[in-house]
Amino acid sequence: MKRDIDIEQVSDGKRYTSNDMVRLGCDDCSGCSDCCRGMGSSILLDPYDAYRLMKGLGCSFDALLVGDTEVAKSPVIGLDLADGLILPHLQMTGETESCSFLNGEGRCGIHEIRPGFCRLFPLGRIYENGTFRYFHQIHECSKGGKTKVKISKWLGIPNLKQYEKFVLDWHDFLEEAGEEARQKKDADSMKQLGMGLLYVFYRKPYDMERDFYEQFYARLARVWDGQK
């Protein structure tokens, strides 16, 4: 999702790679869960996030949409327009607008398989010069006592280099697909494109015994070739 912000005002002005150390860790975190509330539809899920949720929870994408899972009987993800495309996001619920996966103790119920946006916090990504770098959103977490931690450790994602390549390729694809959607002359054509991409990358079942990246890039190639 594109954000219209002045990065110099929200960050420490630095760009980081996954090998850099940043003062992110909170040595007195008591689980305030402020970062898990009131996020609206901003916690977008990429195909890797969806794959991990489906595999970890043992359910289909549609089950996440309607709430037919072991962890919830109400929708845990929703759909919304983002940059001209229909993309899934974590659902906020209740009077406190809490993440559907937040438990009664204010802890993440899916911590091991939490989405990339959640793993990043309070980091962000800035895309420039054909790649991306991380930046520290210094005003996002109010907890004190922060300690330095290596970004790769903070993210805790297997095969990080492969994941970062996927993140960049997915971003570039969304840029082009979003532009194509915005050029559609009518709402029905835009919706048809959005629903088609939603099926290809999310609703179409993945083989959970096979590598995610292999399956993703096969789908991406078919879309580029005009095949669904």
Side-chain angles (χ1 to χ4, degrees):
M1 177 185 290
K2 293 181 180 179
R3 298 172 61 195
D4 185 15
I5 60 173
D6 183 345
I7 193 170
E8 302 305 324
Q9 292 185 0
V10 302
S11 76
D12 57 10
K14 298 177 181 178
R15 310 290 198 269
Y16 298 100
T17 72
S18 58
N19 290 320
D20 289 323
M21 302 284 288
V22 187
R23 199 172 295 279
L24 297 171
C26 190
D27 54 19
D28 66 345
C29 180
S30 58
C32 71
S33 66
D34 285 350
C35 57
C36 305
R37 304 177 193 274
M39 301 302 291
S41 59
S42 65
I43 311 301
L44 296 179
L45 304 176
D46 62 34
Y48 182 67
D49 295 329
Y51 173 88
R52 295 194 75 189
L53 284 173
M54 288 185 286
K55 184 172 184 177
L57 298 175
C59 65
S60 68
F61 182 80
D62 287 349
L64 295 171
L65 277 176
V66 300
D68 184 18
T69 70
E70 290 294 323
V71 296
K73 297 304 177 185
S74 59
V76 291
I77 62 174
L79 300 177
D80 206 351
L81 274 176
D83 302 327
L85 299 173
I86 301 171
L87 296 174
H89 59 81
L90 286 186
Q91 195 83 300
M92 302 289 142
T93 62
E95 294 183 0
T96 58
E97 283 291 297
S98 302
C99 173
S100 298
F101 291 112
L102 195 66
N103 64 28
E105 289 72 46
R107 297 290 184 173
C108 178
I110 55 165
H111 194 262
E112 290 301 315
I113 55 173
R114 66 196 185 281
F117 269 36
C118 304
R119 292 175 179 274
L120 270 174
F121 184 86
L123 294 170
R125 301 190 195 104
I126 180 169
Y127 295 85
E128 52 189 6
N129 303 320
T131 186
F132 73 85
R133 291 290 183 266
Y134 301 98
F135 66 96
H136 182 197
Q137 302 177 93
I138 57 176
H139 305 300
E140 291 299 310
C141 180
S142 61
K143 299 292 288 184
K146 292 179 173 60
T147 55
K148 279 193 173 183
V149 63
K150 194 173 184 178
I151 289 179
S152 59
K153 182 179 180 180
W154 183 260
L155 296 174
I157 295 176
N159 304 315
L160 183 57
K161 291 302 180 184
Q162 189 174 29
Y163 171 76
E164 289 182 325
K165 179 182 184 305
F166 155 75
V167 165
L168 184 59
D169 290 340
W170 179 242
H171 169 269
D172 291 346
F173 171 74
L174 290 184
E175 287 277 291
E176 295 197 29
E179 181 60 29
E180 180 182 347
R182 290 187 290 272
Q183 290 178 0
K184 295 294 183 183
K185 296 182 179 180
D186 60 87
D188 286 342
S189 296
M190 180 183 289
K191 181 179 179 180
Q192 184 177 6
L193 173 62
M195 293 301 290
L197 295 179
L198 183 70
Y199 173 76
V200 170
F201 292 109
Y202 294 95
R203 297 187 64 209
K204 183 180 179 181
Y206 286 87
D207 183 344
M208 298 302 168
E209 301 303 317
R210 290 175 54 208
D211 178 67
F212 162 77
Y213 299 108
E214 175 188 342
Q215 297 179 75
F216 167 77
Y217 282 107
R219 297 180 188 208
L220 185 63
R222 287 195 293 271
V223 170
W224 283 133
D225 291 339
Q227 302 174 7
K228 298 292 191 291

